[in-house]
Amino acid sequence: MTKRAAIYARVSTDEQAAKGYSLPTQLAACREYALKQGWTVAAEYADDCSGTIPVRERPEGERLYQDVAAGKIEAVVLYTIDRAARDEDVIEFLIFKRDMKAAGVELHFCDSGKTADDPIAGIVDYFKAAQASDERKKIRERSMRGRRAKAAVTWVGAKVPYGYRKIGI
């Protein structure tokens, strides 16, 4: 009997979800990974929300947890570790990993394979999750810097509100 796998994918923004930037490629890579393992894909879950939200609290993440609890899933495949979580303290990834392990469900990533079961080898997973958290901070800082620069040179609005006057560009 083949292992029943679930695929979980996540994008960070509504725009990525609406325009199909990332979900189709994540899902395809996860399907290919499961196929190479000889598994049956029993379910697919895809959320469009921040990686700071715990998997259990995301709409599709909640469904995943329900199916895991019901014994429908034996392995979960994600594209990369940052699809699980990008919280600042890396706690949400560790909680997700712990929850899957406690349920007897293997956790796999397309780029690195099965997560380590022992604490020493699990340090690598922790560092990858910490790197994803750091990348989130960098993305946020770059976005804010770009918005500030644009706001400094762009007038927003059709006309100047009563009592104000436009100075400069």
Side-chain angles (χ1 to χ4, degrees):
M1 187 166 144
T2 65
K3 192 171 285 190
R4 293 166 298 170
I7 293 171
Y8 182 79
R10 177 188 66 81
V11 292
S12 302
T13 66
D14 291 336
E15 181 182 8
Q16 288 175 323
K19 294 186 178 180
Y21 288 155
S22 181
L23 283 176
T25 58
Q26 285 182 52
L27 294 168
C30 291
R31 285 184 206 114
E32 184 178 330
Y33 181 94
L35 182 66
K36 285 181 180 177
Q37 305 303 315
W39 301 339
T40 300
V41 176
E44 293 184 2
Y45 312 88
D47 276 314
D48 60 335
C49 57
S50 169
T52 61
I53 299 170
V55 175
R56 181 185 292 274
E57 295 175 19
R58 303 173 193 164
E60 291 293 286
E62 183 179 357
R63 280 191 45 232
L64 170 63
Y65 266 86
Q66 290 168 354
D67 288 348
V68 164
K72 297 178 182 178
I73 307 298
E74 297 166 301
V76 177
V77 181
L78 292 89
Y79 184 63
T80 57
I81 208 163
D82 69 339
R83 300 300 83 198
R86 273 192 168 175
D87 61 305
E88 287 190 23
D89 302 322
V90 192
I91 292 170
E92 294 308 328
F93 167 72
L94 297 173
I95 290 170
F96 180 60
K97 181 179 175 182
R98 180 207 60 200
D99 291 349
M100 294 302 109
K101 183 178 178 183
V105 172
E106 293 179 4
L107 189 56
H108 291 255
F109 301 99
C110 292
D111 64 342
S112 59
K114 184 177 181 269
T115 57
D117 287 332
D118 65 283
I120 301 299
I123 290 172
V124 174
D125 291 338
Y126 176 84
F127 282 130
K128 287 181 181 179
Q131 185 177 20
S133 173
D134 189 52
E135 179 62 20
R136 179 180 166 270
K137 291 175 197 169
K138 289 177 185 175
I139 290 168
R140 186 173 47 214
E141 186 274 328
R142 289 179 199 129
S143 296
M144 288 305 297
R145 185 170 12 105
R147 286 184 187 118
R148 284 188 195 107
K150 184 176 180 180
V153 298
T154 304
W155 174 256
V156 180
K159 55 184 186 173
V160 180
Y162 180 77
Y164 292 87
R165 61 188 166 103
K166 184 177 172 185
I167 299 174
I169 297 174

Short mmCIF file of all heavy atoms in Angstrom, two decimals, residues 8-48:
data_model
loop_
_atom_site.label_atom_id
_atom_site.label_comp_id
_atom_site.label_asym_id
_atom_site.label_seq_id
_atom_site.Cartn_x
_atom_site.Cartn_y
_atom_site.Cartn_z
N TYR A 8 0.91 20.88 0.68
CA TYR A 8 0.51 22.17 1.24
C TYR A 8 1.33 23.27 0.56
O TYR A 8 2.55 23.21 0.54
CB TYR A 8 0.70 22.23 2.76
CG TYR A 8 0.24 23.54 3.32
CD1 TYR A 8 -1.12 23.79 3.52
CD2 TYR A 8 1.13 24.57 3.57
CE1 TYR A 8 -1.56 25.01 3.99
CE2 TYR A 8 0.70 25.80 4.03
CZ TYR A 8 -0.64 26.01 4.25
OH TYR A 8 -1.08 27.23 4.69
N ALA A 9 0.64 24.25 0.02
CA ALA A 9 1.29 25.38 -0.65
C ALA A 9 0.75 26.68 -0.04
O ALA A 9 -0.37 26.72 0.47
CB ALA A 9 1.04 25.35 -2.14
N ARG A 10 1.57 27.73 -0.13
CA ARG A 10 1.16 29.02 0.42
C ARG A 10 1.81 30.14 -0.37
O ARG A 10 2.97 30.05 -0.76
CB ARG A 10 1.61 29.15 1.88
CG ARG A 10 1.28 30.49 2.51
CD ARG A 10 1.91 30.66 3.88
NE ARG A 10 3.37 30.72 3.84
CZ ARG A 10 4.09 31.80 3.54
NH1 ARG A 10 3.48 32.93 3.23
NH2 ARG A 10 5.40 31.77 3.55
N VAL A 11 1.03 31.18 -0.62
CA VAL A 11 1.57 32.43 -1.15
C VAL A 11 1.32 33.51 -0.12
O VAL A 11 0.44 33.39 0.73
CB VAL A 11 0.95 32.83 -2.52
CG1 VAL A 11 1.39 31.85 -3.60
CG2 VAL A 11 -0.55 32.91 -2.46
N SER A 12 2.08 34.59 -0.22
CA SER A 12 2.01 35.63 0.80
C SER A 12 0.98 36.71 0.51
O SER A 12 0.53 37.38 1.42
CB SER A 12 3.38 36.30 0.94
OG SER A 12 4.34 35.34 1.27
N THR A 13 0.63 36.90 -0.76
CA THR A 13 -0.26 38.01 -1.09
C THR A 13 -1.43 37.56 -1.95
O THR A 13 -1.36 36.55 -2.65
CB THR A 13 0.50 39.10 -1.88
OG1 THR A 13 0.89 38.58 -3.15
CG2 THR A 13 1.74 39.57 -1.12
N ASP A 14 -2.51 38.34 -1.89
CA ASP A 14 -3.67 38.08 -2.73
C ASP A 14 -3.29 38.19 -4.20
O ASP A 14 -3.80 37.45 -5.04
CB ASP A 14 -4.80 39.07 -2.42
CG ASP A 14 -5.40 38.85 -1.04
OD1 ASP A 14 -5.31 37.71 -0.54
OD2 ASP A 14 -5.95 39.80 -0.47
N GLU A 15 -2.40 39.13 -4.52
CA GLU A 15 -1.97 39.32 -5.91
C GLU A 15 -1.30 38.07 -6.45
O GLU A 15 -1.57 37.65 -7.57
CB GLU A 15 -1.02 40.52 -6.02
CG GLU A 15 -0.58 40.79 -7.45
CD GLU A 15 0.41 41.94 -7.56
OE1 GLU A 15 0.88 42.44 -6.53
OE2 GLU A 15 0.71 42.31 -8.70
N GLN A 16 -0.42 37.45 -5.64
CA GLN A 16 0.23 36.21 -6.08
C GLN A 16 -0.80 35.12 -6.32
O GLN A 16 -0.70 34.37 -7.28
CB GLN A 16 1.23 35.73 -5.02
CG GLN A 16 2.47 36.56 -4.92
CD GLN A 16 3.35 36.11 -3.76
OE1 GLN A 16 2.86 35.73 -2.70
NE2 GLN A 16 4.65 36.16 -3.98
N ALA A 17 -1.80 35.05 -5.46
CA ALA A 17 -2.83 34.03 -5.61
C ALA A 17 -3.69 34.31 -6.84
O ALA A 17 -3.96 33.41 -7.64
CB ALA A 17 -3.70 33.98 -4.36
N ALA A 18 -4.11 35.56 -7.01
CA ALA A 18 -4.99 35.93 -8.12
C ALA A 18 -4.31 35.77 -9.48
O ALA A 18 -4.93 35.32 -10.44
CB ALA A 18 -5.50 37.36 -7.95
N LYS A 19 -3.06 36.15 -9.55
CA LYS A 19 -2.34 36.11 -10.83
C LYS A 19 -1.61 34.79 -11.05
O LYS A 19 -0.98 34.61 -12.08
CB LYS A 19 -1.37 37.28 -10.93
CG LYS A 19 -2.10 38.61 -11.00
CD LYS A 19 -1.16 39.76 -11.25
CE LYS A 19 -1.95 41.05 -11.36
NZ LYS A 19 -1.11 42.20 -11.61
N GLY A 20 -1.69 33.88 -10.07
CA GLY A 20 -1.09 32.57 -10.24
C GLY A 20 0.42 32.60 -10.32
O GLY A 20 1.03 31.81 -11.02
N TYR A 21 1.05 33.52 -9.57
CA TYR A 21 2.50 33.63 -9.61
C TYR A 21 3.21 32.39 -9.10
O TYR A 21 4.21 31.97 -9.63
CB TYR A 21 2.98 34.81 -8.76
CG TYR A 21 2.69 36.17 -9.32
CD1 TYR A 21 2.58 37.26 -8.48
CD2 TYR A 21 2.54 36.38 -10.66
CE1 TYR A 21 2.32 38.52 -8.97
CE2 TYR A 21 2.28 37.64 -11.16
CZ TYR A 21 2.17 38.71 -10.31
OH TYR A 21 1.92 39.95 -10.80
N SER A 22 2.70 31.81 -8.05
CA SER A 22 3.49 30.82 -7.35
C SER A 22 2.79 29.50 -7.04
O SER A 22 3.42 28.46 -7.04
CB SER A 22 4.01 31.44 -6.05
OG SER A 22 4.81 30.55 -5.34
N LEU A 23 1.51 29.54 -6.75
CA LEU A 23 0.81 28.32 -6.35
C LEU A 23 0.93 27.18 -7.37
O LEU A 23 1.26 26.05 -6.98
CB LEU A 23 -0.66 28.59 -6.03
CG LEU A 23 -0.94 29.25 -4.69
CD1 LEU A 23 -2.42 29.55 -4.54
CD2 LEU A 23 -0.44 28.41 -3.54
N PRO A 24 0.67 27.42 -8.65
CA PRO A 24 0.76 26.30 -9.60
C PRO A 24 2.14 25.65 -9.65
O PRO A 24 2.24 24.42 -9.73
CB PRO A 24 0.42 26.94 -10.95
CG PRO A 24 -0.41 28.14 -10.60
CD PRO A 24 0.17 28.64 -9.30
N THR A 25 3.19 26.45 -9.55
CA THR A 25 4.54 25.87 -9.61
C THR A 25 4.87 25.11 -8.33
O THR A 25 5.52 24.06 -8.38
CB THR A 25 5.61 26.95 -9.88
OG1 THR A 25 5.54 27.95 -8.86
CG2 THR A 25 5.40 27.59 -11.24
N GLN A 26 4.42 25.64 -7.18
CA GLN A 26 4.64 24.92 -5.92
C GLN A 26 3.92 23.57 -5.95
O GLN A 26 4.51 22.54 -5.60
CB GLN A 26 4.10 25.72 -4.74
CG GLN A 26 4.93 26.90 -4.33
CD GLN A 26 4.33 27.59 -3.12
OE1 GLN A 26 4.05 26.94 -2.10
NE2 GLN A 26 4.12 28.89 -3.21
N LEU A 27 2.65 23.60 -6.35
CA LEU A 27 1.86 22.37 -6.37
C LEU A 27 2.45 21.34 -7.33
O LEU A 27 2.54 20.16 -7.00
CB LEU A 27 0.40 22.69 -6.74
CG LEU A 27 -0.37 23.52 -5.71
CD1 LEU A 27 -1.69 24.01 -6.29
CD2 LEU A 27 -0.60 22.72 -4.43
N ALA A 28 2.88 21.79 -8.50
CA ALA A 28 3.47 20.88 -9.49
C ALA A 28 4.74 20.24 -8.94
O ALA A 28 4.95 19.02 -9.08
CB ALA A 28 3.76 21.62 -10.79
N ALA A 29 5.60 21.04 -8.30
CA ALA A 29 6.85 20.50 -7.75
C ALA A 29 6.56 19.49 -6.63
O ALA A 29 7.22 18.46 -6.54
CB ALA A 29 7.72 21.63 -7.24
N CYS A 30 5.57 19.79 -5.81
CA CYS A 30 5.21 18.87 -4.71
C CYS A 30 4.61 17.57 -5.25
O CYS A 30 4.90 16.48 -4.73
CB CYS A 30 4.24 19.55 -3.75
SG CYS A 30 4.98 20.89 -2.79
N ARG A 31 3.79 17.68 -6.29
CA ARG A 31 3.24 16.47 -6.92
C ARG A 31 4.37 15.59 -7.47
O ARG A 31 4.36 14.37 -7.32
CB ARG A 31 2.29 16.83 -8.06
CG ARG A 31 0.95 17.34 -7.61
CD ARG A 31 0.02 17.59 -8.81
NE ARG A 31 -0.95 18.59 -8.45
CZ ARG A 31 -1.05 19.81 -8.99
NH1 ARG A 31 -0.24 20.19 -9.96
NH2 ARG A 31 -1.96 20.65 -8.57
N GLU A 32 5.32 16.23 -8.12
CA GLU A 32 6.46 15.50 -8.69
C GLU A 32 7.27 14.83 -7.58
O GLU A 32 7.69 13.67 -7.72
CB GLU A 32 7.35 16.45 -9.49
CG GLU A 32 8.50 15.76 -10.19
CD GLU A 32 9.34 16.72 -11.03
OE1 GLU A 32 8.80 17.72 -11.53
OE2 GLU A 32 10.54 16.45 -11.15
N TYR A 33 7.48 15.52 -6.49
CA TYR A 33 8.21 14.96 -5.34
C TYR A 33 7.48 13.72 -4.82
O TYR A 33 8.10 12.67 -4.61
CB TYR A 33 8.35 16.01 -4.24
CG TYR A 33 9.11 15.53 -3.03
CD1 TYR A 33 10.48 15.76 -2.92
CD2 TYR A 33 8.48 14.86 -1.99
CE1 TYR A 33 11.19 15.31 -1.81
CE2 TYR A 33 9.18 14.39 -0.88
CZ TYR A 33 10.53 14.62 -0.80
OH TYR A 33 11.24 14.17 0.30
N ALA A 34 6.17 13.85 -4.61
CA ALA A 34 5.38 12.72 -4.10
C ALA A 34 5.43 11.54 -5.07
O ALA A 34 5.56 10.38 -4.66
CB ALA A 34 3.94 13.15 -3.84
N LEU A 35 5.33 11.83 -6.36
CA LEU A 35 5.38 10.78 -7.38
C LEU A 35 6.71 10.03 -7.33
O LEU A 35 6.75 8.79 -7.38
CB LEU A 35 5.17 11.41 -8.76
CG LEU A 35 5.15 10.45 -9.95
CD1 LEU A 35 3.94 9.53 -9.88
CD2 LEU A 35 5.15 11.24 -11.25
N LYS A 36 7.81 10.78 -7.19
CA LYS A 36 9.14 10.16 -7.10
C LYS A 36 9.27 9.26 -5.87
O LYS A 36 10.03 8.30 -5.87
CB LYS A 36 10.23 11.22 -7.09
CG LYS A 36 10.47 11.85 -8.44
CD LYS A 36 11.58 12.88 -8.38
CE LYS A 36 11.80 13.52 -9.75
NZ LYS A 36 12.82 14.57 -9.73
N GLN A 37 8.52 9.60 -4.82
CA GLN A 37 8.55 8.78 -3.60
C GLN A 37 7.65 7.55 -3.74
O GLN A 37 7.68 6.67 -2.89
CB GLN A 37 8.10 9.60 -2.39
CG GLN A 37 8.87 10.88 -2.14
CD GLN A 37 10.35 10.67 -1.97
OE1 GLN A 37 10.79 9.78 -1.26
NE2 GLN A 37 11.14 11.49 -2.64
N GLY A 38 6.81 7.55 -4.78
CA GLY A 38 5.86 6.45 -4.96
C GLY A 38 4.61 6.60 -4.13
O GLY A 38 3.92 5.62 -3.84
N TRP A 39 4.28 7.82 -3.75
CA TRP A 39 3.13 8.09 -2.89
C TRP A 39 1.90 8.46 -3.71
O TRP A 39 2.00 8.94 -4.83
CB TRP A 39 3.41 9.23 -1.93
CG TRP A 39 4.57 9.00 -1.02
CD1 TRP A 39 5.13 7.80 -0.66
CD2 TRP A 39 5.32 10.00 -0.34
NE1 TRP A 39 6.18 8.00 0.20
CE2 TRP A 39 6.32 9.35 0.42
CE3 TRP A 39 5.25 11.38 -0.29
CZ2 TRP A 39 7.22 10.03 1.21
CZ3 TRP A 39 6.15 12.06 0.49
CH2 TRP A 39 7.13 11.39 1.24
N THR A 40 0.75 8.32 -3.09
CA THR A 40 -0.51 8.79 -3.64
C THR A 40 -0.81 10.15 -3.02
O THR A 40 -0.74 10.31 -1.80
CB THR A 40 -1.66 7.82 -3.27
OG1 THR A 40 -1.35 6.54 -3.81
CG2 THR A 40 -2.99 8.31 -3.81
N VAL A 41 -1.12 11.13 -3.86
CA VAL A 41 -1.50 12.45 -3.33
C VAL A 41 -2.97 12.37 -2.94
O VAL A 41 -3.86 12.31 -3.79
CB VAL A 41 -1.24 13.57 -4.36
CG1 VAL A 41 -1.75 14.91 -3.82
CG2 VAL A 41 0.24 13.66 -4.70
N ALA A 42 -3.21 12.36 -1.64
CA ALA A 42 -4.56 12.22 -1.11
C ALA A 42 -5.30 13.55 -1.04
O ALA A 42 -6.53 13.58 -1.11
CB ALA A 42 -4.51 11.59 0.28
N ALA A 43 -4.55 14.65 -0.91
CA ALA A 43 -5.19 15.97 -0.78
C ALA A 43 -4.18 17.07 -1.08
O ALA A 43 -2.97 16.87 -0.92
CB ALA A 43 -5.76 16.16 0.62
N GLU A 44 -4.72 18.20 -1.53
CA GLU A 44 -3.90 19.39 -1.75
C GLU A 44 -4.56 20.56 -1.03
O GLU A 44 -5.78 20.70 -1.05
CB GLU A 44 -3.79 19.71 -3.25
CG GLU A 44 -3.02 18.69 -4.02
CD GLU A 44 -2.82 19.06 -5.49
OE1 GLU A 44 -3.25 20.16 -5.91
OE2 GLU A 44 -2.23 18.24 -6.21
N TYR A 45 -3.72 21.37 -0.41
CA TYR A 45 -4.18 22.53 0.34
C TYR A 45 -3.36 23.73 -0.10
O TYR A 45 -2.15 23.62 -0.25
CB TYR A 45 -3.98 22.32 1.85
CG TYR A 45 -4.49 20.98 2.35
CD1 TYR A 45 -3.67 19.87 2.33
CD2 TYR A 45 -5.79 20.84 2.81
CE1 TYR A 45 -4.12 18.64 2.78
CE2 TYR A 45 -6.26 19.61 3.26
CZ TYR A 45 -5.41 18.52 3.24
OH TYR A 45 -5.87 17.30 3.68
N ALA A 46 -4.01 24.87 -0.28
CA ALA A 46 -3.29 26.07 -0.71
C ALA A 46 -3.89 27.31 -0.04
O ALA A 46 -5.10 27.54 -0.13
CB ALA A 46 -3.35 26.22 -2.23
N ASP A 47 -3.06 28.06 0.63
CA ASP A 47 -3.49 29.28 1.31
C ASP A 47 -2.81 30.50 0.70
O ASP A 47 -1.71 30.40 0.16
CB ASP A 47 -3.11 29.23 2.80
CG ASP A 47 -4.11 28.48 3.65
OD1 ASP A 47 -5.33 28.72 3.48
OD2 ASP A 47 -3.70 27.66 4.48
N ASP A 48 -3.47 31.64 0.80
CA ASP A 48 -2.86 32.91 0.42
C ASP A 48 -2.89 33.84 1.64
O ASP A 48 -3.79 34.61 1.83
CB ASP A 48 -3.54 33.55 -0.80
CG ASP A 48 -5.00 33.87 -0.57
OD1 ASP A 48 -5.62 33.22 0.29
OD2 ASP A 48 -5.51 34.78 -1.22
#
